[in-house]
Amino acid sequence: NAGVTQTPKFQVLKTGQSMTLQCAQDMNHEYMSWYRQDPGMGLRLIHYSVGAGITDQGEVPNGYNVSRSTTEDFPLRLLSAAPSQTSVYFCASSYLGATDTQYFGPGTRLTVL
Amino acid sequence: AQSVTQLDSQVPVFEEAPVELRCNYSSSVSVYLFWYVQYPNQGLQLLLKYLSGSTLVKGINGFEAEFNKSQTSFHLRKPSVHISDTAEYFCAVLTNYGQNFVFGPGTRLSVLP
């Protein structure tokens, strides 16, 4: 199993550009989530999904969109990038739900100029 | 809403010494509690979790934590640390009806030779 994979590893955007961060897992996990990590703030939940076709907002959803058309994939879209979205983004998945062990991807470091 | 406080942002300790990393939470409802570890340039990995039952929880790599409901705390301990324990440690809380994690800001543990 590859576990949780994220692409790209690094990305630099200009203000106003859009892009999609990819996340995939091959463990047949139902629950998937996206976090951003900023210095001194820990991880903050952006969006999560409890299964294909079902998504919900976390703590900091503004400026981000998600969809879950398959169990394996959970892409995160930045519609119009802003410098405040400069961060490290982590995708995670777990088998049944949030109380299960979450497996994290290696992260995507995004810089918005 | 829940919140998580980790009182120490940095903890230096000598190898083979004991360590305690403190975590306090606030919530008006019952919670589940977690400790995650992040090694440099990696995603997070679950150390241990408290869902119910015994308030003393044992995890991987010799770590343990004790849930104290009256003090709303979930402190992490290890009796003898190794250089390889150098990492950032995050406490997290999840309400028993939600799927929405809240992470603390993290404690950076540095183990000195």
Side-chain angles (χ1 to χ4, degrees), chain B residues 24-106:
Chain B
N24 289 86
Y25 68 92
S26 66
S27 176
S28 58
V29 298
S30 297
V31 297
Y32 302 124
L33 295 155
F34 304 77
W35 276 99
Y36 278 84
V37 60
Q38 185 179 31
Y39 298 104
N41 299 314
Q42 293 186 27
L44 276 71
Q45 177 183 357
L46 180 68
L47 271 179
L48 48 80
K49 60 183 175 182
Y50 171 78
L51 302 182
S52 65
S54 172
T55 57
L56 183 62
V57 180
K58 293 191 185 298
I60 63 172
N61 300 340
F63 283 93
E64 65 180 31
E66 185 153 21
F67 171 53
N68 188 319
K69 188 174 181 181
S70 63
Q71 296 189 6
T72 60
S73 67
F74 191 54
H75 300 333
L76 181 71
R77 295 190 290 259
K78 185 170 182 178
S80 175
V81 294
H82 303 290
I83 297 285
S84 58
D85 293 322
T86 294
E88 189 141 21
Y89 292 79
F90 294 94
C91 182
V93 65
L94 177 71
T95 60
N96 63 2
Y97 58 81
Q99 300 286 343
N100 197 338
F101 266 94
V102 176
F103 280 83

